[in-house]
Amino acid sequence: MHRTTEQHDPIAQLYRGLDAEDTDSAVSVILKLRGETCDIDCLYCYEKRKEAPGGARIDAGQVRRLAELFQGRPLAIELHGGEPLTAGRDHVADVLRELSAQPSVVRVSLQTNGVLLDEQWLDLFDAVYPDLQIGISLDGDAAGNTWRIGYDGKPVYPRVSAALRLLADRGRKTGVIAAVTPAVLGRAEAVLDHLAGFEAVNAVSFVPCFDASVQRSTAAQGRRLPASRLLQDAAVRGPQGPAWAVSPAEYAQFVLAATVRWIGAGHFAHLKLEPAVSTIRRLRGLDTGFCHFSNMKCDHVFTLYPDGRLGSCDELPWPQAQLGRLDRIPDEAAVVAAQRRLPLLNQGKALMERCTGCGYRSACGGGCVATRWRQDQAGDQDAYCDYRMRMIDGIAALIAQPAHPAGAWCRTVRWRPRTPNSMRDVAAFLARWDRADVSRTSVRLHTSEHGNINTVGLPGVHEADDLDPAHPQWREAIEPGVRPLVDAVTRLWGLVTYDSCQGHLYSGLDLPPAERRVGLLPRDRTEYARVAAALCRAVTEAATDLPASVQVTVGRAELTCETTGCTTPVLDLALHPAPGHAWPAYFDAVDAATRVVADALRGERHADGGCSCPVPQTATPAVEEMPA
């Protein structure tokens, strides 16, 4: 059941509401310059599915009113459609002049299908708005553009590729938005290589056609349907939904394959790839301007139509997303009030409440509200979350082991960040671990009544000295319950451990229980890849023999060096309560589970070898590493 009241604190870090007094935060405004009017007829076009009247044009006066409405707040403007160039050169020039006259406008971009783009248009842009950012819509190579056709049913790829060559001749760079449909599935490498081969292209954003819920073709005026609508009508009636639709799982696999190629072919040096770059930034604790990964979501995205309709993101369903009419909204406070009472936005916020307790939230950012809404309407929101987690897991592996891309396909070793997770001096600790001849000073070791061994002898997370097997107090510092796991990975596998815990129930204390775990600090990326694969094999082998109340996981995380601030990829082997089982049952069985896992570890070695998870047949090896 949806909530239709405001959602604030539970999701504030994931979905930031618009504040009329906070004029420093920018908003994005999509100007539907011609509404749905377009000179081609892509079969999957979501704008035309709104079936709103076209033909009118946004004018300079509306642009001026828009700037007045947001009272000096930074505005990022995108000229969009339909096809914005169908508005004509003189009209587009007037709009651009008005945008250049508004000091609050900090960026203007144009998203075009490229069919009309020619020398005259580029001369106009150079003269009126030289900083205009041009984006082209193109779904990869000719075969990938199956669904991008004219009303005559013929492909438009040749004309769009000619526009890209023209941009290169003029020394311009452009980003490409490419829809992921079945026409490109299994061909991510070839599609990315093709787009990267255009000299003008410096960014590629792969966007999914999650259109399984589309059940009818787009309405058309007149009695005679154009060839494109006949093709759409045939495609929309497939047994699994529209023939152009992909599933979230298929999209995740495509993105991972494209990211592997992006790294392996060295495309990362000159080409920005989304959603890979935003995922990497979030995994590294950095911000991104991509709303699917940021908290600046639908409350900071607006769409304006030629007839004056102002609403939220254009990917949300209309008219449900409409906030009012531009000429009838007095000020930004009225916009905020309309947002807070709009049922659609509040439903979207409520859908994100499941994100607040998710371990992936810091990397995922909650995803796209519009897509969540559609998936929820189709009764399959879990598939959306599963794809986001799959993509994050795979890209986290590529960050840690870029020269060993097979890790991207592992479904056992997953992104499980730990906070806090730091060590005083990681490099010094690693150097000391392999130097048995270095002197080691005595450390303080105290044991709490709950079995914690640390410097103060108290339950919970407290400081503990970083020891190695050559230290005379090494065995004394390892809590007894976790020793079998520590022994297996240090003595038999020869690995470095940076942390271990036998698990604690903390009965009678206001502390959450702690699971049994051991943290591994690989010496380099090659060792990391080998250990991750070996752990996958070992825990897969152990899974069938574990007590019902315990499950074993392998997590990817980052260890922060307190001295340098740098992070190092680490792996955490942990035993958790199995779903449906409480902590007391877990602690009753955790020793038996430890024996099973330790036996599996003793049966493995972290030599070369793949993990237990299948690698897609289309996956290709990486040959180059990204900068650390």
Side-chain angles (χ1 to χ4, degrees):
M1 181 175 67
H2 295 304
R3 294 187 188 178
T4 56
T5 57
E6 268 190 274
Q7 309 297 315
H8 285 299
D9 292 341
I11 59 169
Q13 293 181 340
L14 294 166
Y15 190 118
R16 180 177 171 187
L18 186 67
D19 184 348
E21 296 182 0
D22 174 23
T23 57
D24 290 335
S25 60
V27 296
S28 298
V29 184
I30 302 165
L31 299 185
K32 296 289 185 179
L33 215 54
R34 291 297 308 282
E36 66 171 15
T37 301
C38 189
D39 53 342
I40 66 174
D41 199 29
C42 305
L43 304 194
Y44 54 61
C45 179
Y46 68 86
E47 190 61 48
K48 289 179 181 177
R49 286 203 295 267
K50 297 174 185 175
E51 298 177 4
R57 301 182 292 190
I58 288 176
D59 58 35
Q62 289 172 302
V63 171
R64 191 160 47 251
R65 173 62 190 136
L66 192 67
E68 293 171 354
L69 178 63
F70 287 104
Q71 302 175 359
R73 179 189 295 275
L75 300 178
I77 303 294
E78 182 174 3
L79 307 182
H80 207 276
E83 173 51 49
L85 298 188
T86 60
R89 290 190 181 89
D90 291 342
H91 193 87
V92 171
D94 288 342
V95 170
L96 288 174
R97 289 190 189 97
E98 186 60 45
L99 288 169
S100 67
Q102 298 298 330
S104 59
V105 174
V106 295
R107 184 177 71 253
V108 179
S109 59
L110 168 80
Q111 189 64 35
T112 173
N113 60 39
V115 169
L116 295 177
L117 201 61
D118 57 18
E119 297 277 6
Q120 289 73 33
W121 273 111
L122 294 178
D123 288 341
L124 183 153
F125 299 151
D126 288 343
V128 180
Y129 208 104
D131 293 332
L132 179 71
Q133 300 176 9
I134 299 175
I136 299 288
S137 299
L138 187 69
D139 300 344
D141 55 14
N145 281 270
T146 300
W147 311 107
R148 297 189 65 79
I149 59 177
Y151 287 93
D152 59 2
K154 296 180 179 179
V156 298
Y157 172 84
R159 287 181 283 173
V160 184
S161 58
L164 286 172
R165 290 190 291 271
L166 173 62
L167 288 168
D169 291 342
R170 295 287 293 256
R172 277 187 171 268
K173 294 295 184 180
T174 185
V176 168
I177 293 180
V180 175
T181 70
V184 300
L185 292 180
R187 301 193 306 111
E189 299 87 352
V191 169
L192 181 62
D193 286 349
H194 184 80
L195 292 173
F198 288 102
E199 184 182 345
V201 175
N202 64 358
V204 174
S205 179
F206 287 119
V207 298
C209 278
F210 291 156
D211 288 344
S213 61
V214 176
Q215 298 178 345
R216 63 186 181 90
S217 54
T218 306
Q221 298 178 351
R223 293 184 178 180
R224 290 191 64 180
L225 290 177
S228 56
R229 296 299 168 90
L230 292 173
L231 290 171
Q232 187 196 53
D233 188 59
V236 82
R237 300 178 186 277
Q240 305 299 323
W244 63 79
V246 298
S247 70
E250 289 171 329
Y251 176 63
Q253 180 162 317
F254 180 91
V255 168
L256 289 177
T259 306
V260 168
R261 184 62 176 177
W262 179 64
I263 297 170
H267 293 321
F268 64 85
H270 59 87
L271 184 80
K272 179 182 179 182
L273 180 67
E274 290 290 6
V277 168
S278 288
T279 304
I280 290 169
R281 290 186 63 84
R282 289 306 299 258
L283 285 167
R284 290 178 167 169
L286 303 173
D287 291 331
T288 173
F290 192 176
C291 61
H292 294 193
F293 293 84
S294 132
N295 64 356
M296 305 281 273
K297 296 190 185 294
C298 299
D299 280 24
H300 287 78
V301 180
F302 296 90
T303 305
L304 178 65
Y305 283 89
D307 61 1
R309 289 173 294 146
L310 181 69
S312 190
C313 173
D314 65 336
E315 292 192 36
L316 288 165
W318 284 66
Q320 299 98 309
Q322 184 172 332
L323 297 167
R325 302 188 71 84
L326 183 64
D327 59 351
R328 299 176 189 173
I329 302 177
D331 51 32
E332 189 177 312
V335 173
V336 173
Q339 286 179 328
R340 293 183 177 179
R341 64 174 176 263
L342 191 69
L344 184 65
L345 288 182
N346 285 301
Q347 288 172 6
K349 295 173 188 176
L351 289 175
M352 293 184 66
E353 285 190 351
R354 62 161 36 196
C355 303
T356 60
C358 177
Y360 287 80
R361 66 185 180 277
S362 62
C364 172
C368 172
V369 175
T371 306
R372 283 193 176 281
W373 188 89
R374 289 194 297 271
Q375 292 291 120
D376 186 64
Q377 295 298 300
D380 197 17
Q381 195 177 166
D382 286 345
Y384 182 71
C385 293
D386 290 344
Y387 120 67
R388 301 282 291 182
M389 292 186 282
R390 177 81 278 275
M391 181 177 69
I392 290 167
D393 288 340
I395 292 178
L398 291 173
I399 294 175
Q401 51 184 83
H404 305 274
W409 308 111
C410 182
R411 293 176 177 267
T412 301
V413 187
R414 308 187 66 178
W415 175 246
R416 297 181 184 275
R418 293 175 54 190
T419 304
N421 199 32
S422 65
M423 177 181 284
R424 186 175 294 110
D425 192 329
V426 174
F429 175 71
L430 281 171
R432 186 172 65 249
W433 186 282
D434 292 323
R435 291 286 307 276
D437 58 327
V438 175
S439 63
R440 288 155 171 83
T441 59
S442 179
V443 298
R444 294 173 298 159
L445 294 176
H446 299 283
T447 304
S448 78
E449 61 181 10
H450 289 83
N452 309 81
I453 299 177
N454 50 48
T455 60
V456 291
L458 293 176
V461 179
H462 294 278
E463 183 180 0
D465 290 289
D466 301 317
L467 306 186
D468 58 83
H471 195 286
Q473 294 172 276
W474 162 256
R475 189 161 185 81
E476 182 185 352
I478 306 299
E479 295 171 357
V482 76
R483 283 176 187 164
L485 302 180
V486 173
D487 285 346
V489 296
T490 57
R491 293 171 56 193
L492 298 179
W493 286 23
L495 301 180
V496 179
T497 58
Y498 75 93
D499 174 57
S500 65
C501 177
Q502 71 176 9
H504 309 282
L505 186 56
Y506 297 132
S507 300
L509 298 181
D510 188 22
L511 287 173
E515 78 279 3
R516 183 163 296 181
R517 66 177 185 272
V518 57
L520 305 177
L521 175 58
R523 296 171 176 85
D524 54 41
R525 287 173 166 176
T526 297
E527 184 176 82
Y528 181 102
R530 291 173 177 171
V531 173
L535 287 174
C536 174
R537 297 193 300 268
V539 301
T540 301
E541 176 69 22
T544 56
D545 296 326
L546 287 173
S549 58
V550 180
Q551 67 176 9
V552 60
T553 65
V554 183
R556 303 185 193 272
E558 299 281 345
L559 178 66
T560 300
C561 177
E562 297 167 2
T563 302
T564 65
C566 296
T567 59
T568 301
V570 292
L571 295 161
D572 294 318
L573 176 67
L575 277 63
H576 301 273
H581 294 269
W583 282 101
Y586 164 82
F587 279 105
D588 287 343
V590 72
D591 287 337
T594 300
R595 288 191 291 273
V596 171
V597 175
D599 285 344
L601 293 173
R602 283 190 286 270
E604 281 287 349
R605 294 291 185 271
H606 69 286
D608 290 328
C611 73
S612 298
C613 305
V615 176
Q617 292 183 351
T618 57
T620 56
V623 297
E624 189 171 341
E625 290 202 10
M626 291 187 298

